[in-house]
Amino acid sequence: MIGKLSPVFRLFAQQYADAKEAFLALGKKYRGKKAMELEQRLIFLEIYTDLLSRIYFEEEKLQFKLFSPFKKIFKGLKKTKHLKFIMRQLDEIEEKNNLSFNSYRKQLENEKSILYTDVYDQIVATPLKVWEQLFEEVHQYSKGLKPLMINTSTTQIINEELEFFNLDNKEKLTSGALKDIYEGLRVITALENLRIESGFNSIFVQEVHDRMAELQRSLNDWYQNHLFLQHLTGFLADREHISKKYLELLSQLQANKKTYTQKVESQCKQLFERILE
C-alpha cells in the first residue's frame, strides 16, 4: 500500500468530511433532514470500501472491517428516511384534501420519537476514533492504486449489478426487484463518477445515464408510495373498524402503486433493452 495516492481518494475525502460534519451535527440535535444527508454520504463510503475490498481481495472481509462500525447507525438513518418519506406524504394528502388522520399521525409521531431517541443514543455512544480509523485505513489502502485496478474493480461491480438486473428482468418485477434496481442504479452512478475521476471514460454513454436518472426519479416516487402503503396497511390491520377516509386513502395509495409500477416497468424495459444487449 505504498505509493502515490489515487485521485479517487479525493472523492472519498470530500464525502467523508461531509459525513463527519453531519454526524457531529446529529450528536448535538437529531434531525431528519441531517440524518438523510448523513445516510447519503455513508452510502458512498460503503461503495468505496466495497471497491477497495475488490482490489485487495486477498484480505478477507475487508469491507466489513472498514465499514462495520457504521452499520447500526446506517440502518437507523435509513429507517429515519423512510419515516420522513411517509410523514411528508401524509402532510401533502392532509393539506390537499383538507383532511386529518389524527390516530395515524399519533402513531407516526410515537414511532418517530422512539426511533430518533434510539439513533441519537447510538450516535452519541459512537467514539470519534471510528471516523479517524476509517479515514486512516482507507487513506492507506488508497495509496498505490493503479488505474487498471480501478478500471477492473469498477467494471466488476457494475457487471454484477447488471447481472442482477438481467435476472430480475426475466420475471415480472416484484417490489423487492424494483428496490434492488433502485439501489443498483445508485451504485452504478457512484462508480461511474469514480471512473471519470480516475481518467477513464464512463462505461455508459450520456443517453443511458439520462435514462438511469429518469428511472431513479420514477423509482423514488414508487418507493415512497410503497413505504406509505406498507406502513398504513400495517397500522390498519389491527383495527376492527376502519373509517371511510382511511379506506379511501388506502385505495388511493393502491391505485398510485399500480400507476407507478407500470411506469417504472416500462422504463426498466426500455433501459434494459439498451444496456443488456
Side-chain angles (χ1 to χ4, degrees):
M1 291 185 285
I2 298 175
K4 185 179 179 182
L5 195 61
S6 171
V8 297
F9 183 75
R10 288 196 296 267
L11 288 177
F12 172 87
Q14 183 58 59
Q15 294 283 339
Y16 169 89
D18 292 341
K20 189 175 180 182
E21 180 183 353
F23 174 85
L24 292 173
L26 289 170
K28 297 176 182 176
K29 182 179 180 180
Y30 194 80
R31 293 175 294 142
K33 184 176 180 181
K34 187 61 69 172
M36 290 173 67
E37 180 184 331
L38 177 55
E39 191 233 7
Q40 286 298 312
R41 305 305 182 190
L42 286 179
I43 287 171
F44 181 88
L45 300 189
E46 185 179 37
I47 292 170
Y48 192 91
T49 57
D50 184 27
L51 178 72
L52 292 177
S53 72
R54 304 306 180 101
I55 295 171
Y56 298 101
F57 57 87
E58 70 281 0
E59 295 196 34
E60 191 175 354
K61 297 183 178 179
L62 176 59
Q63 185 189 25
F64 177 80
K65 169 191 167 187
L66 294 171
F67 197 74
S68 61
F70 302 93
K71 277 290 188 181
K72 192 173 182 180
I73 291 174
F74 192 30
K75 187 175 181 180
L77 296 170
K78 187 173 185 179
K79 288 182 178 178
T80 300
K81 178 179 71 176
H82 290 174
L83 195 58
K84 194 167 179 62
F85 281 163
I86 293 168
M87 297 185 78
R88 184 187 298 160
Q89 290 175 89
L90 182 62
D91 289 341
E92 292 173 355
I93 286 172
E94 286 186 332
E95 183 178 355
K96 179 180 179 181
N97 299 289
N98 195 25
L99 288 171
S100 60
F101 297 86
N102 293 330
S103 58
Y104 184 48
R105 181 171 293 279
K106 183 178 179 181
Q107 173 68 24
L108 289 169
E109 292 291 350
N110 287 338
E111 290 183 21
K112 175 182 175 181
S113 178
I114 294 170
L115 176 61
Y116 278 32
T117 299
D118 181 47
V119 187
Y120 173 78
D121 289 344
Q122 291 174 28
I123 289 173
V124 172
T126 301
L128 283 177
K129 68 178 183 181
V130 302
W131 286 92
E132 297 162 4
Q133 290 171 348
L134 175 65
F135 188 87
E136 290 171 4
E137 291 180 350
V138 170
H139 182 269
Q140 289 301 312
Y141 281 106
S142 298
K143 288 181 179 179
L145 291 184
K146 295 181 172 48
L148 182 58
M149 295 177 178
I150 302 295
N151 181 42
T152 300
S153 55
T154 53
T155 301
Q156 178 189 7
I157 299 173
I158 289 173
N159 283 339
E160 287 178 7
E161 295 296 337
L162 293 178
E163 183 58 30
F164 284 133
F165 291 175
N166 204 18
L167 290 172
D168 288 338
N169 199 37
K170 292 180 190 276
E171 304 290 340
K172 184 170 178 62
L173 294 174
T174 63
S175 295
L178 290 175
K179 178 174 172 290
D180 289 342
I181 291 169
Y182 176 72
E183 294 178 350
L185 290 174
R186 187 168 57 193
V187 171
I188 289 173
T189 300
L191 292 174
E192 286 281 62
N193 289 334
L194 282 170
R195 289 179 60 83
I196 294 170
E197 189 71 16
S198 298
F200 287 101
N201 292 327
S202 59
I203 290 178
F204 301 109
V205 297
Q206 187 59 45
E207 176 219 339
V208 171
H209 277 285
D210 290 342
R211 289 193 185 189
M212 285 184 179
E214 183 180 354
L215 175 56
Q216 279 184 298
R217 288 190 290 270
S218 297
L219 280 168
N220 189 55
D221 292 337
W222 171 87
Y223 191 42
Q224 292 192 42
N225 183 80
H226 170 73
L227 290 169
F228 193 4
L229 175 59
Q230 192 175 51
H231 191 276
L232 181 62
T233 300
F235 170 75
L236 296 176
D238 298 327
R239 300 170 71 92
E240 291 185 13
H241 303 289
I242 304 175
S243 64
K244 181 181 178 182
K245 66 180 179 180
Y246 278 102
L247 291 174
E248 289 177 346
L249 174 57
L250 193 64
S251 178
Q252 182 60 56
L253 293 177
Q254 290 169 337
N256 290 346
K257 182 175 182 179
K258 183 177 180 180
T259 300
Y260 287 138
T261 300
Q262 290 174 341
K263 182 177 181 179
V264 295
E265 283 182 340
S266 174
Q267 289 178 325
C268 283
K269 185 175 185 297
Q270 293 174 21
L271 177 62
F272 295 159
E273 286 176 350
R274 181 71 173 80
I275 65 177
L276 299 176
E277 297 174 348

